[in-house]
Amino acid sequence: MKKMTLIFCVLSLFYIGNVQAQVTPTKDSMSLAIQENLEKLLNQIEKEEVSALKAKIKAIDARYKADEITKSESDQLKKKASELTAQNIQNRQEIAKLSANYAKRNNVHLENMDDLRSVTDSMKVGALRIVSQKDSEGELKTLKISISSSEDDDKEKKPTAQDRTFSKLVFAVGFNNTFNDGEFMENPNYKFAASRYFEFGWQWSTRVFKETNFLRFRYGLALQFNGLKPEDNQYFVENGDQTELQDFAINLDKSKLRMDNLIMPLHLELTSSKRKDTELPNFTRPAFKLGLGGFVGLNLHNKQKLKYKEGGDHFKIKQRSDFNTNNFLYGLSGYIGWEGAQLYFQYNLNPVFKDNLVDENNFQIGMRFEI
């Protein structure tokens, strides 16, 4: 009996030792496999990100050659892409290392590192989720790791087409004068440099065709303030239906008639904008612009200002009247320029004064700016 007991104890010790010998190599081999797969994954992450960076740089070079961006913009985009690639490599490799360390520390088997790979391939801003499975005795058996994004981050940004219509604030300054009986600047009644105009308004621009941007329709509303300063110490006088220039009895320091108008400009605009190489209609920013069209409007208010000095005293006179001006305005206008600045021209087809013996048609020339 003692002999049988001794044999049983020896066999038991042999069995336990054999089991321990099998468990220990299994842990070591699992740790070694995780480390080897981790090193491969780290190298693969770097190769993938570098390959993606090369593709981005190639696309940026193509945009530069197509004159869609400048050399400075191209260099800036390349710099940002390189910085993003470096951050992506660092973040993805850090998560891979953390996941591998967790698996080794807790004796978790990650089959072929698939769970770890899925994490690094689905990098999104969000929270790290670890889903574990346990056996019947409560021991940790497997581990699954994933990234859960927030609701906003989970929504992919879809490319959108450029709006067909946009609006801008527009203002213009320049010189104001008249064509006198069909003659341009011959025996002028008004000072050219001193007679000026100012305009500001809001304009909309709509692409005429869906797939191209070379032709646009521009329209809007604007307030114009047109000034006329008579030559030779003269001022405006209403004489019945006529509005005449007469000599003032005293030397004038200032004589000016200002006409305030509300107009609606309408133009067809040719641009240098080209379509980008995208599925949706997106276009380059137009540089050259040429607009041709006209306007209609209303005369809102007229005021004459006179300043003079007599007996050491200064006098200022303001006269508000219609001065027999036309209430309904219409004419031709156009502009040519580069980006947000254009040379602007406007010519009124209606005379300034309704019933004068000699028609005077207002014209303007100046610079227009878009904001």
Side-chain angles (χ1 to χ4, degrees):
M1 184 67 178
K2 291 182 179 179
K3 185 176 181 180
M4 291 296 293
T5 302
L6 179 62
I7 293 172
F8 178 76
C9 290
V10 171
L11 290 175
S12 298
L13 291 172
F14 175 79
Y15 175 75
I16 293 171
N18 187 45
V19 171
Q20 290 177 345
Q22 290 178 357
V23 172
T24 302
T26 301
K27 292 180 180 179
D28 292 340
S29 61
M30 182 183 297
S31 178
L32 181 62
I34 290 175
Q35 187 62 34
E36 290 177 352
N37 286 324
L38 175 61
E39 291 176 359
K40 292 179 182 179
L41 186 56
L42 294 179
N43 292 331
Q44 185 63 24
I45 288 172
E46 184 173 351
K47 290 180 181 179
E48 290 173 355
E49 292 294 337
V50 171
S51 177
L53 175 61
K54 291 179 180 179
K56 291 179 182 178
I57 291 177
K58 185 177 180 181
I60 293 171
D61 288 335
R63 292 181 63 190
Y64 172 66
K65 291 180 181 178
D67 294 330
E68 294 181 8
I69 56 176
T70 64
K71 183 65 168 60
S72 176
E73 291 173 334
S74 172
D75 294 339
Q76 189 67 20
L77 289 173
K78 289 179 182 179
K79 181 181 178 181
K80 290 183 179 179
S82 300
E83 293 173 351
L84 179 62
T85 298
Q87 292 174 356
N88 288 346
I89 292 174
Q90 181 182 1
N91 293 340
R92 292 181 63 187
Q93 288 183 342
E94 285 177 354
I95 288 185
K97 291 175 183 178
L98 288 172
S99 301
N101 290 337
Y102 186 95
K104 287 189 290 184
R105 186 168 58 251
N106 293 278
N107 192 24
V108 178
H109 179 56
L110 298 176
E111 297 180 0
N112 299 320
M113 302 292 287
D114 287 341
D115 293 326
L116 178 61
R117 176 69 200 188
S118 66
V119 173
T120 58
D121 283 347
S122 61
M123 284 295 297
K124 294 180 181 178
V125 178
L128 187 67
R129 293 178 61 242
I130 301 176
V131 181
S132 60
Q133 293 181 350
K134 299 181 179 181
D135 57 21
S136 58
E137 297 181 359
E139 296 294 332
L140 189 62
K141 184 179 179 182
T142 60
L143 178 71
K144 289 186 178 294
I145 306 172
S146 64
I147 296 290
S148 63
S149 304
S150 64
E151 183 178 351
D152 292 335
D153 294 326
D154 194 44
K155 296 178 181 179
E156 295 183 359
K157 291 184 178 181
K158 297 182 180 180
T160 57
Q162 284 181 354
D163 292 335
R164 196 160 180 173
T165 298
F166 60 82
S167 60
K168 289 184 178 182
L169 176 67
V170 177
F171 72 92
V173 291
F175 302 110
N176 184 73
N177 218 293
T178 65
F179 282 95
N180 186 4
D181 195 22
E183 297 180 355
F184 176 61
M185 299 306 294
E186 292 187 17
N187 301 317
N189 291 323
Y190 313 108
K191 301 175 182 178
F192 183 77
S195 299
R196 294 182 289 268
Y197 86 97
F198 175 78
E199 172 186 333
F200 70 92
W202 196 265
Q203 292 192 15
W204 289 263
S205 177
T206 299
R207 192 168 68 246
V208 175
F209 301 106
K210 182 179 179 180
E211 302 298 330
T212 59
N213 196 37
F214 79 96
L215 185 64
R216 303 188 68 89
F217 178 52
R218 298 189 68 116
Y219 49 97
L221 287 173
L223 281 172
Q224 284 188 343
F225 306 95
N226 303 331
L228 292 174
K229 287 189 175 182
E231 295 272 12
D232 303 326
N233 204 53
Q234 294 183 318
Y235 72 112
F236 291 95
V237 177
E238 291 182 77
N239 185 8
D241 294 337
Q242 306 286 309
T243 299
E244 305 172 344
L245 284 173
Q246 296 182 5
D247 294 329
F248 198 72
I250 302 172
N251 186 44
L252 288 168
D253 295 325
K254 181 177 182 179
S255 175
K256 177 183 177 181
L257 174 65
R258 194 187 79 187
M259 297 167 285
D260 302 343
N261 304 324
L262 176 67
I263 68 165
M264 182 171 66
L266 306 165
H267 295 101
L268 280 177
E269 181 181 85
L270 299 174
T271 78
S272 60
S273 175
K274 297 180 181 179
R275 177 163 179 166
K276 295 181 180 179
D277 188 17
T278 58
E279 294 182 2
L280 297 173
N282 289 290
F283 306 91
T284 60
R285 178 183 297 178
F288 173 78
K289 296 178 181 179
L290 172 64
L292 298 172
F295 69 94
V296 292
L298 297 173
N299 174 249
L300 303 177
H301 177 74
N302 300 312
K303 181 167 62 176
Q304 180 171 228
K305 293 182 179 180
L306 302 175
K307 290 183 180 181
Y308 61 93
K309 184 170 59 176
E310 184 179 13
D313 295 326
H314 295 271
F315 296 90
K316 181 188 294 185
I317 299 175
K318 295 182 179 180
Q319 296 176 314
R320 292 178 174 84
S321 176
D322 66 356
F323 288 96
N324 297 312
T325 57
N326 273 300
N327 294 326
F328 179 68
L329 313 174
Y330 59 96
L332 304 175
S333 58
Y335 55 90
I336 183 171
W338 195 261
E339 293 188 347
Q342 299 102 37
L343 179 66
Y344 180 74
F345 176 81
Q346 176 178 304
Y347 175 70
N348 285 47
L349 293 175
N350 61 280
V352 177
F353 305 106
K354 291 183 290 187
D355 300 315
N356 277 14
L357 298 178
V358 177
D359 287 339
E360 297 180 60
N361 296 78
N362 198 82
F363 76 91
Q364 302 159 357
I365 185 169
M367 290 299 299
R368 193 182 76 157
F369 303 94
E370 301 173 358
I371 301 177

